[in-house]
Amino acid sequence: MSFPQPHTARRTTGVLLASVAALLTAGIPAAAASTAPAPAKTAPALAKSAPAPAENAPAPAKTAHATAAVLDLDGHGRAPVVHGADTSYDTASIVKVDILAALMLKAQDAHRALTAGERQHAEPMIERSDNAAADALWREIGRAPGLAAANKRLGLTSTTGGAGGLWGLTQTTASDQIRLLGAVFDNRTAKTGSDPLSARSRAYMRDLMSHVVPEQAWGVSAVNASGAQRALKNGWLQRTSTGLWDVNSVGQVNVNGHRCLVAVLSNGSASMNAGISLVERTAREAVA
């Protein structure tokens, strides 16, 4: 499935800097913690293996950046509107949606449903952002080459898988994330038969994204209408080279009765909470 080239909106994203928090995950610097983060108003829990930051380490003087892309599924346009520079960002754990899509395509090609073992990895990978489950499925899809083959079928043009086992260092753009979300949520492509994901695969992916644990329900869901069901996946990681945070959120939201796909990617935040605040503010501005 492909989308036309996005239009760039005039609004720029905001800048937030706060105190530095530490988080490292099981030797995978790009992975989101499998321990669920606290909501934006509360300091995130640290992984048990995370070392404490140096007491006197100065916060790097760098500006945080964010890019948002929005596609109104109930509108007339077919191109996402991009707010900010549509440059590449680390995916962190939002790549888990892409890994699952690649897994669904692999099962479809074999004319079978997911095995019990595959479901036992897929469900915690999306619902709880479990890293060990993502490791297993990353290997099963063939790592970066397997992801690239799936993304060619899904219409993604600007996503490159992380080297080796570093799936969280996959590079992507906000507009590419809208293309991926479209493959999962856009019923119009399904009606034309242009979506490579089957109706069963799409329904399964939507269900998992609708059951993300409450403590990970921040991000694009902040713009949801009251009572609307959330369907999203978030990602977060602290880069060891800078101490700064990548925080991302993608999903489907309800805005004034319209179903909208929203992807917000960010980097350079001084803390996870600062990154969450930046993502949520950028999402609100993008759909306003």
Side-chain angles (χ1 to χ4, degrees):
M1 179 184 68
S2 61
F3 286 90
Q5 291 299 311
H7 304 297
T8 301
R10 296 179 182 176
R11 185 180 295 118
T12 58
T13 55
V15 174
L16 284 178
L17 292 175
S19 60
V20 176
L23 178 62
L24 297 174
T25 36
I28 305 174
S34 43
T35 301
K41 300 300 181 183
T42 307
L46 299 183
K48 291 182 179 179
S49 60
E55 290 294 332
N56 299 317
K62 184 176 179 180
T63 302
H65 296 90
T67 301
V70 180
L71 177 64
D72 184 350
L73 294 179
D74 297 319
H76 299 294
R78 298 297 297 134
V81 177
V82 177
H83 301 252
D86 197 22
T87 55
S88 292
Y89 291 83
D90 299 327
T91 58
S93 279
I94 62 169
V95 75
K96 292 170 181 175
V97 177
D98 207 358
I99 293 172
L100 180 56
L103 180 69
M104 303 309 295
L105 290 175
K106 181 178 179 180
Q108 287 177 199
D109 291 345
H111 306 288
R112 63 172 178 82
L114 294 186
T115 66
E118 288 169 338
R119 292 195 303 273
Q120 287 173 0
H121 290 309
E123 290 162 16
M125 179 179 74
I126 299 298
E127 295 176 352
R128 301 198 305 272
S129 203
D130 185 89
N131 289 335
D135 289 340
L137 294 183
W138 179 246
R139 291 191 296 268
E140 183 164 346
I141 67 168
R143 296 187 171 185
L147 190 76
N151 284 345
K152 184 175 181 179
R153 297 167 65 179
L154 294 165
L156 278 64
T157 60
S158 303
T159 298
T160 304
L166 300 180
W167 42 262
L169 289 183
T170 295
Q171 298 293 297
T172 194
T173 62
S175 58
D176 240 18
Q177 288 302 300
I178 293 294
R179 295 182 179 98
L180 177 59
L181 291 171
V184 180
F185 292 98
D186 191 350
N187 293 326
R188 291 179 292 189
T189 59
K191 290 178 181 177
T192 64
S194 60
D195 195 334
L197 290 169
S198 68
R200 176 179 292 184
S201 295
R202 290 155 56 88
Y204 181 69
M205 294 182 68
R206 291 178 183 182
D207 181 66
L208 296 190
M209 293 177 71
S210 297
H211 288 88
V212 168
V213 292
E215 55 267 36
Q216 294 182 22
W218 44 266
V220 296
S221 62
V223 307
N224 242 6
S226 178
Q229 186 181 35
R230 61 176 182 265
L232 77 162
K233 182 70 191 79
N234 296 327
W236 60 98
L237 69 95
Q238 186 181 33
R239 295 307 305 267
T240 56
S241 59
T242 64
L244 300 178
W245 287 77
D246 298 331
V247 180
N248 307 319
S249 183
V250 299
Q252 179 181 273
V253 300
N254 185 295
V255 182
N256 298 323
H258 282 224
R259 296 172 304 119
C260 293
L261 304 180
V262 181
V264 182
L265 310 181
S266 78
N267 60 27
S269 289
S271 70
M272 181 173 172
N273 280 349
I276 291 173
S277 296
L278 173 59
V279 164
E280 292 186 343
R281 187 178 72 185
T282 302
R284 290 189 185 98
E285 292 175 349
V287 302

